[in-house]
Amino acid sequence: MTDRSLLRAKCRTALDFAGTQLRHLVEIYPDFFPMYTVQGKWKHSGEAWTNWCEGFLGGQLWMMYKHTGDAYWRAKAEHYSRLVEHRKTDRNVHDLGFVFWSSWKRWYDLTGDDRLKAVIVEAGQTMGLRFKEKGQYLRSFVADESLFIDIMMNVGIIYYAALQTQDADLLRIANQHCLTTRKTLVRGDGSTAHEGIFDLETGEFLRQSTHQGWRGDSSWARGLTWALYGFGTAYSFSGDVRFLQTAEACANFYMERTPDHGVPPNDWDEPNPAYPYESSAAAIAASGLLNLAKLTGDPARARLYEGYALRIVDTLTEPEFLAVETPGWEGILKHGMYHERKSLGVDESVMWGEHFFMEALCKVLGYA
Ligand code: GLY
């Protein structure tokens, strides 16, 4: 693999390129929140399925400000963050962590302004309203009986709101959701299911299912990386070692089942997948593994996680993935996958892939 100083140079080049692509996006399509490209273009008539990506652009703009110190990026970051403030009371999605942690939390961390913190706390409290006492989980956007693995990336904002307001019941909700997800969606081999279905009358767990993976009993790659990253976050808030163990089990599965370059297919179990890569899962894994390297108390495991994360970053900063040599492509990272069954964002750039790729680059460079 590339040595450390060369890798850092690749990360700086990739962030510079991200700046070029982001400037194009916000200048050409002002106040537009893209989700995935179609043939490399952000603006198209493809459906969204659900609204969960609106914080990623603000988050990317905050990271560009960190990378450059240029007031242009700060003004854009504040603007795009303000545009999503009304979502703090949105009860239609399970994604308020994605929306506010990416954007407003970065803004708050920079300023320490309590008015910004209040918005994040309110979003966390709104997320807590999704809790189903029968079943002990936060319901997904699709139905009351549905639990998604993705929600592990949105439970952190509930922990945050609970701890900031010393709300013991909200803390219970966050912990119980993680325990239920661990019990019903994470398997003995460290793989994860996308969705769990519950009996609404009794709260009984009925079965595993999927929307974006191959089958209910298979391993959708992005879902596993949401778990890898999210259980690490749950451990950092709760100190519950079961969550660290779960994150590490997911990390082990990822490292064992993925080719040496570090980029998985959309689902590890699907025979002969039509597309070899799901780059957004790799970006999330890289950033989550860099978190785990700091969370684990074991120096050997820390080296393993960091080394693997750097391998992913090395791969994703090559022109096969970084769109730097693809004229006319508006995204940063190619070969992402949103929803293959619905033919949405297949082998394209996807906003969460861009966001977590940039986050991993920033971590390698010591910005985050
Ligand atoms: N809905 C979240 C995802 O596609 O990963």
Side-chain angles (χ1 to χ4, degrees), residues 65-307:
Y65 178 57
K66 267 215 164 145
H67 178 55
T68 62
D70 183 339
Y72 170 87
W73 294 115
R74 178 165 184 157
K76 293 290 180 202
E78 286 194 19
H79 177 71
Y80 279 85
S81 299
R82 281 206 182 87
L83 288 179
V84 301
E85 181 178 355
H86 65 284
R87 300 286 301 279
K88 65 190 177 189
T89 54
D90 184 349
R91 296 188 61 180
N92 293 320
V93 297
H94 57 243
D95 304 294
L96 297 188
F98 284 131
V99 175
F100 286 91
W101 207 255
S102 309
S103 54
W104 284 70
K105 179 63 166 47
R106 285 196 166 91
W107 191 4
Y108 171 67
D109 286 346
L110 199 69
T111 60
D113 183 338
D114 281 342
R115 287 168 302 181
L116 304 178
K117 181 160 68 176
V119 171
I120 303 162
V121 166
E122 190 172 351
Q125 290 166 332
T126 303
M127 270 297 296
L129 299 173
R130 308 189 73 76
F131 194 65
K132 305 293 292 178
E133 290 293 345
K134 284 187 182 164
Q136 301 279 291
Y137 61 93
L138 298 155
R139 55 153 289 177
S140 84
F141 82 97
V142 298
D144 274 354
E145 65 265 29
S146 160
L147 158 68
F148 272 22
I149 195 73
D150 322 29
I151 300 173
M152 281 309 302
M153 288 297 281
N154 296 283
V155 78
I157 200 168
I158 304 182
Y159 275 114
Y160 183 78
L163 295 170
Q164 289 297 326
T165 57
Q166 300 188 344
D167 183 335
D169 197 49
L170 202 52
L171 193 58
R172 174 187 69 88
I173 284 171
N175 278 322
Q176 285 306 129
H177 175 80
C178 296
L179 289 170
T180 302
T181 305
R182 178 177 181 270
K183 187 165 75 175
T184 59
L185 299 190
V186 184
R187 308 185 184 110
D189 62 357
S191 70
T192 55
H194 183 183
E195 185 184 35
I197 303 294
F198 290 77
D199 183 319
L200 287 176
E201 293 301 317
T202 63
E204 180 190 1
F205 173 68
L206 298 176
R207 67 179 181 280
Q208 297 181 345
S209 170
T210 194
H211 294 261
Q212 288 154 280
W214 179 52
R215 296 195 325 200
D217 63 349
S218 73
S219 309
W220 175 47
R222 189 162 66 256
L224 180 129
T225 62
W226 292 143
L228 183 166
Y229 193 131
F231 276 103
T233 303
Y235 171 65
S236 67
F237 278 114
S238 67
D240 188 330
V241 76
R242 290 173 293 182
F243 300 151
L244 177 63
Q245 287 163 352
T246 305
E248 294 197 286
C250 295
N252 287 342
F253 185 90
Y254 186 102
M255 293 186 291
E256 278 165 16
R257 292 289 299 273
T258 303
D260 282 350
H261 51 58
V263 185
N266 187 58
D267 191 310
W268 281 283
D269 296 327
E270 182 178 359
N272 306 313
Y275 299 90
Y277 304 129
E278 207 298 70
S279 63
S280 76
I284 298 155
S287 190
L289 284 167
L290 290 170
N291 291 352
L292 271 189
K294 291 197 169 145
L295 291 171
T296 180
D298 177 343
R301 296 208 71 76
R303 280 194 297 278
L304 177 69
Y305 300 147
E306 188 189 28

